[in-house]
Amino acid sequence: MPVPFIAAMLESAFLAAVAVFLLYQSSLLRDFGDSALSAGLFPAIVSAVMLLFSLALAVQNLRAYKRDGGNSPVFPDSGPGGMKRHARAILIFALAIVYTVLLPILHFAVATAAFMIVFLVFAGERRWWMVLLVAAGLTAALQLMFGVLLHVMLP
Amino acid sequence: MDLFSSLLSQASPDFFALVFVGSLLGLVVGAVPGLSVTMATALLISVTFTWSVNNAVALIMGVYVSGVYAGALSAIVINIPGAPSSVATTLDGFPMARQGRAAEALFTATIHSFFGTLFGLFVLMLVIEPLTSIALAFSPLDYFLLACFGLSTVGSLTSKSFIKGMISACLGVLFAFVGMDEYTGEHRFTFDIMELQMGIPLVAVLIGLFGFSEVLSTLAAGQQGSIAAAPGKFKPDFKTILKQLPLSLRSSVIGVIIGALPGTGGTVAALLAYDNAKLTVKNPKVPFGEGAAEGVVASESANNACIGGALIPMLALAVPGDAVTAVILAAFYVHGLRPGPMLLQNSPDTFNVILAGGFVAAGMMLLLGLTVVPQMAKVVMIPKRLLMPMVTVLCVIGAYAVESSIYQVVIMLVFGLLGYFMRLRGYAVAPMVLGIVLGGIMDINFRKAMNLADADEGLLHMLLSQPISLCLLGMTIIAVGINLPWSKWLFSRRGASSGG
């Protein structure tokens, strides 16, 4: 079976599972003897609606596969690069997480300047003077705007 | 007229200078993600504490009017809505910028924000009393139906798949439930994580879904160039502006009405107006979602017209229409003003000062929008390898600035990753934002309506006995019907058969 079709079916199954899980979680909320008052009533309704749409998505995928095969435009194309692209996205996400963790430890100015240098090089900037200029300039500009002018408590 | 005499009496250099300073500040806080008009107004309360009422009102109105408009700048230039009410502007504004039409998008946003603001203020001036009574007549069931009607715009926000749009909206509504239930105090979907008790913060979600996911998509794909070669030269064409005015007027009407309903606000108004534009504008030069100027017209007219709308219940009833007007209300109390039914009788001059401040602020917004803002559009020329790291830091600091909390940053990053995968799999992120905005309104009003129905003669009786409810139900059914795939198929067949 073609990979895009399998990915699309797994996606609808995952969404259906999320809907069932949330439906179950909604049922655990107390109703205080009056279902209209229950905190779980409306979440349960929305979860059920989401389950219906997830199943509709699965049906749509199956019909598209029968009609057009694995190359149906219904199945999203992951674009050029495939797994390498996802790996880059995850790496950027990890970089941002590290920056967030370091913010309270190194404080805004040091953490931001260091993050900018690493990220600019990762993004493809090779001119060292530009890397230093942008990192220092942005850090100073943000410190001035948020910290000094707008009195935002920076980490 | 009272207004013009009041405006003339305010025509001191101080008044104009303060509105100008407020407008400049509004431009900054509105355009920078994470900084909000609400935050700036709250800060101004302490700054203006010892000032005269007129001076304080001048500064606050400048921030309010320009701040609402400025959300469009970052929405158009870097695809991050500066404020939730600019979400609909990203749908066509950013594609316009990518096509080298950033200058046109910004000009369109400026002109129609100005028009929307003026329209809202004129409505405020003329119909404050009757509109207030209509807004007061809304029952919880009406609010629930209004939110359903708002959610029915999902079909317009999803250019590819209606089903995926609905799933995105459902997820958004479910995210809105996370945290402490304000009706019963029970924790919902918090999974014993203490931070989740505060709920999912909307601004962090917005920055993540639109801003950080854009960074991930762009850099993961290895794109190196700039967003556009240049903002593009744009020669204002008055014929085009005149042609867009009826749409701007329709969107402004939607903006004023939604703005006057407490608890709804600019986001809902802009999305409803966008949906209305998609349904009513036949054959736009560029399809909606791919850079249609009409999308920017609708969104920006509506969210700025909301200013006048939101001031109606605030001034007439002391009921704020949204978060910003709630803070402005607090500012008025600090300055000894008492908004409410007696305001117009006891302090007509104050009402006129507010109007005068609004009108002058609209003029300043136009001035800044036509002179300063086009220079800001040059951001699109910065290479992505430089721009995207800057946007990332802005996303992180913007999310942090909301409540000085790392939790907001984590939420922003998680939603950024979610947004990246959603884009990749063909799920529009705008319906999720709409779901988060409307989820809380739907839930609380649904349960209130159910309780009232229990005490009354049942939900059906309640629904059928209230004209507003019936009207909203009809509108929702029509909107859902129009957006369903089978109805589009039916219309296209009918069109084909009548054409052939």
Side-chain angles (χ1 to χ4, degrees), chain A residues 11 39 86 88 123 125 153, chain B residues 188 385 400 424-425 427:
Chain A
E11 178 184 294
H86 297 331
R88 274 177 74 88
E125 181 55 59
M153 291 270 286
Chain B
R188 287 191 292 194
R385 65 176 184 277
Y400 180 84
L424 212 66
R425 303 298 303 169
Y427 292 84

Side-chain angles (χ1 to χ4, degrees), chain A residues 21-96:
Chain A
F21 174 71
L22 293 175
L23 199 59
Y24 170 70
Q25 287 290 326
S26 307
S27 71
L28 298 180
L29 294 164
R30 286 174 295 168
D31 68 359
F32 300 97
D34 181 1
S35 61
L37 199 67
S38 168
L41 175 64
F42 202 62
I45 295 172
V46 180
S47 304
V49 172
M50 187 176 146
L51 179 61
L52 283 178
F53 278 111
S54 307
L55 297 175
L57 186 65
V59 172
Q60 189 189 53
N61 289 337
L62 279 171
R63 287 179 63 184
Y65 180 64
K66 274 189 181 173
R67 193 179 56 234
D68 308 320
N71 296 322
S72 169
V74 168
F75 308 131
D77 179 15
S78 61
M83 287 312 288
K84 198 178 164 192
R85 187 172 158 174
H86 297 331
R88 274 177 74 88
I90 299 289
L91 198 59
I92 297 165
F93 178 75
L95 257 177

Side-chain angles (χ1 to χ4, degrees), chain B residues 6-91:
Chain B
S6 172
L7 189 61
L8 284 174
S9 71
Q10 297 304 322
S12 67
D14 281 4
F15 189 81
F16 280 90
L18 284 170
V19 177
F20 181 73
V21 171
S23 302
L24 263 182
L25 184 62
L27 205 63
V28 174
V29 297
V32 178
L35 296 182
S36 64
V37 182
T38 317
M39 181 203 288
T41 315
L43 282 172
L44 286 180
I45 294 178
S46 56
V47 176
T48 62
F49 184 65
T50 53
W51 295 14
S52 73
V53 174
N54 290 11
N55 286 349
V57 167
L59 197 68
I60 288 171
M61 287 307 289
V63 171
Y64 188 17
V65 171
S66 278
V68 172
Y69 152 70
L73 308 188
S74 50
I76 290 168
V77 176
I78 51 174
N79 199 28
I80 307 176
S85 59
S86 303
V87 166
T89 309
T90 59
L91 300 175

Side-chain angles (χ1 to χ4, degrees), chain B residues 310-363:
Chain B
L311 284 172
I312 292 171
M314 192 208 88
L315 292 173
L317 301 165
V319 175
D322 55 19
V324 189
T325 43
V327 177
I328 293 178
L329 184 68
F332 284 178
Y333 275 110
V334 166
H335 285 282
L337 295 175
R338 292 288 175 267
M342 301 307 286
L343 178 82
L344 288 177
Q345 288 172 13
N346 293 345
S347 326
D349 287 348
T350 308
F351 178 66
N352 289 339
V353 167
I354 293 165
L355 276 177
F359 281 116
V360 175

